[in-house]
Amino acid sequence: MIKDIKAALLLFLVLAVMTGLIYPLAMTGIGQVVFPHQANGSLIRQRGRVVGSSLVGQYFREPQYFWSRPSATSPVPYNGAGSSASNLGPNNPVLAQHVATRIKTLKAADPAEKGPVPVDLVTSSASGLDPDISIAAALYQVPRIAQTGGIRIVTLHQLIRENTTEPLLGFIGEPVVNVVKLNLALHARYAATPRAPEPKS
């Protein structure tokens, strides 16, 4: 009996050290050596200051910047400590109401745009933190930004291309545009002018 208890305790101790100490330290070390940027949160820095992460979206509502897709996190949009979806099914009338309100907001911001609103501009992602939108969602916003920000459409198209991530291995997933990176690049363009609008997250 005592022999069995000692064996069990020894096995527990060995597994605890291996899985709770050695393995995490090994994975952390490998991550820091092989993928240091990703292992440290894929942080975006400007002038030595962290301004965001390429993995977590930010809330933009100034008309001269690209808008992210809606976020369902609480109590504020893109709350990294509260990743969650709305859990509203496609037949839920509350979801339909939210979508209708978002479409109305987009149309009001750009009355001249008569095309259909891309679905990712009116629905939140499963995590509520998705920093990416589709190319269609980015292009949909170009006329509004060109008008309010005084940026040429060809320049905005170029910025979208530069901040587009292609599908993994060329066929897994869809091309996406990182809104945080895109708005930072756009802000750099504005910063070259005397009156540079400030993005707020």
Side-chain angles (χ1 to χ4, degrees):
M1 180 71 174
I2 297 178
K3 183 178 180 181
D4 292 337
I5 294 176
K6 287 183 177 179
L9 290 175
L10 179 61
L11 179 60
F12 171 78
L13 181 60
V14 171
L15 290 176
V17 172
M18 289 181 61
T19 60
L21 185 63
I22 297 176
Y23 179 78
L25 288 176
M27 292 300 101
T28 300
I30 292 173
Q32 291 294 333
V33 173
V34 182
F35 305 107
H37 177 66
Q38 294 87 338
N40 289 293
S42 299
L43 300 179
I44 303 173
R45 299 177 184 272
Q46 285 194 339
R47 302 182 185 90
R49 183 170 64 96
V50 175
V51 295
S53 168
S54 61
L55 301 178
V56 180
Q58 294 185 25
Y59 184 72
F60 299 98
R61 272 299 174 264
E62 292 79 2
Q64 68 271 26
Y65 288 95
F66 288 91
W67 293 355
S68 309
R69 67 184 306 176
S71 173
T73 63
S74 179
V76 294
Y78 291 101
N79 176 15
S83 175
S84 65
S86 66
N87 292 326
L88 299 176
N91 296 324
N92 193 309
V94 176
L95 176 62
Q97 181 180 0
H98 288 174
V99 170
T101 300
R102 291 161 184 165
I103 291 176
K104 184 177 179 180
T105 299
L106 287 165
K107 293 293 186 182
D110 187 6
E113 179 57 65
K114 303 302 181 182
V117 177
V119 67
D120 51 326
L121 286 181
V122 294
T123 56
S124 60
S125 66
S127 69
L129 303 176
D130 194 346
D132 301 320
I133 57 175
S134 64
I135 294 177
L139 293 176
Y140 180 88
Q141 303 180 67
V142 164
R144 181 196 77 234
I145 297 168
Q147 181 178 8
T148 58
I151 300 291
R152 297 171 57 198
I153 289 180
V154 65
T155 300
L156 293 171
H157 285 177
Q158 178 186 353
L159 292 176
I160 290 173
R161 287 194 299 271
E162 291 173 353
N163 291 280
T164 295
T165 301
E166 296 298 330
L168 181 64
L169 301 178
F171 66 93
I172 300 177
E174 298 291 333
V176 292
V177 183
N178 189 291
V179 181
V180 178
K181 291 182 177 180
L182 178 58
N183 276 339
L184 286 173
L186 179 57
H187 182 66
R189 297 277 179 159
Y190 288 136
T193 65
R195 298 176 61 184
E198 290 289 340
K200 299 177 182 178
S201 58

